[in-house]
């Protein structure tokens, strides 16, 4: 049984993406605070004072946009960290996916398809389609939610930066009985 993990080049790409996401999150937080005139040392009283003084459209729209980034960027960071730690183990009895406390074990009969998720991108991204809700195997409810928000319960990504990625895809095709696309 071989374990497939990110290649060094894939890890370098993820580091750049993580730094970019952290910079976006910091900028969004700074913009939100400065747009509303909030003092982080006295968050609640300064927020109440800002709201009671009345906000114009020029403050509300940017603040809402920055709030959306403040909430969404940590989800992106989680997804990148899950990709960083991802490991696939293909064996005679099935496929195992592990990452950050997530363990999903699938018999080959649970794999119902393989498809290209991003044909237009520079780096290929494929998805393993499943006939059952694999995310239900994740015991921790927070980890299950985070994994599902990124991929859903019936799909697993095959990341572009995996070392020997084509070998993993060939192994999946070889061990499934359904005709697979991709």
């Amino acid at each position: 049984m071989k374990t497939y993990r990110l290649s060094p080049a894939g890890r370098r790409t993820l580091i750049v993406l993580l730094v970019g996401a952290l910079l976006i999150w910091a900028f969004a937080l700074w913009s939100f605070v400065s747009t509303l005139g909030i003092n982080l040392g006295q968050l609640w009283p300064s927020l109440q004072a800002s709201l009671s003084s009345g906000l114009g459209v020029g403050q509300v729209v940017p603040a809402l946009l920055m709030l959306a980034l403040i909430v969404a960027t940590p989800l992106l960071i989680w997804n990148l960290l899950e990709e960083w730690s991802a490991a696939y183990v293909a064996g005679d009895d099935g496929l195992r996916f592990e990452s950050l406390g997530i363990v999903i074990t699938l018999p080959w009969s649970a794999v119902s398809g393989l498809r290209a998720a991003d044909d237009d991108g520079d780096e290929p991204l494929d998805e393993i389609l499943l006939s059952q809700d694999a995310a239900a195997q994740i015991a921790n409810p927070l980890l299950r939610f985070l994994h599902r928000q990124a991929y859903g319960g019936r799909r697993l990504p095959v990341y572009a930066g995996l070392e020997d990625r084509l070998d993993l895809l060939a192994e999946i095709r070889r061990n499934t009985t359904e005709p697979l696309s991709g």
Side-chain angles (χ1 to χ4, degrees):
M1 292 192 303
K2 182 175 179 182
T3 300
Y4 300 88
R5 296 185 185 277
L6 279 184
S7 67
R11 289 190 183 274
R12 284 190 297 273
T13 300
L14 272 180
I15 288 171
V16 170
L17 291 173
L18 279 169
V19 168
L22 289 169
L23 289 173
I24 289 170
W25 187 81
F27 172 76
L29 185 61
W30 173 79
S31 294
F32 181 78
V33 167
S34 65
T35 299
L36 296 180
I38 297 172
N39 178 356
L40 288 178
Q42 297 177 340
L43 179 65
W44 188 246
S46 65
L47 181 59
Q48 285 178 326
S50 179
L51 293 175
S52 66
S53 69
L55 299 174
V57 173
Q59 289 174 300
V60 172
V61 172
L64 288 175
L65 178 61
M66 293 304 120
L67 184 61
L69 284 173
I70 289 167
V71 171
T73 304
L75 297 174
L76 169 65
I77 291 169
W78 163 259
N79 191 1
L80 293 172
L81 290 174
E82 185 176 341
E83 182 176 349
W84 178 275
S85 323
Y88 303 82
V89 180
D92 293 336
D93 54 344
L95 182 67
R96 182 178 175 95
F97 174 82
E98 298 176 8
S99 181
L100 295 177
I102 295 170
V103 177
I104 297 173
T105 304
L106 300 162
W108 288 118
S109 61
V111 177
S112 63
L114 185 63
R115 73 175 179 93
D118 186 13
D119 291 333
D120 298 332
D122 291 338
E123 295 186 4
L125 176 67
D126 291 292
E127 291 180 332
I128 302 168
L129 304 175
L130 308 171
S131 60
Q132 62 191 37
D133 182 6
Q137 294 181 29
I138 303 170
N140 184 310
L142 178 61
L143 294 179
R144 185 172 47 246
F145 165 76
L146 291 169
H147 180 79
R148 274 192 177 140
Q149 68 81 26
Y151 307 110
R154 298 176 70 137
R155 293 179 307 185
L156 279 177
V158 179
Y159 298 112
L162 283 180
E163 198 161 8
D164 298 328
R165 184 178 176 282
L166 295 176
D167 292 345
L168 174 61
L169 294 173
E171 184 78 18
I172 293 169
R173 286 185 184 101
R174 188 172 31 257
N175 285 292
T176 54
T177 57
E178 300 288 322
L180 304 177
S181 64

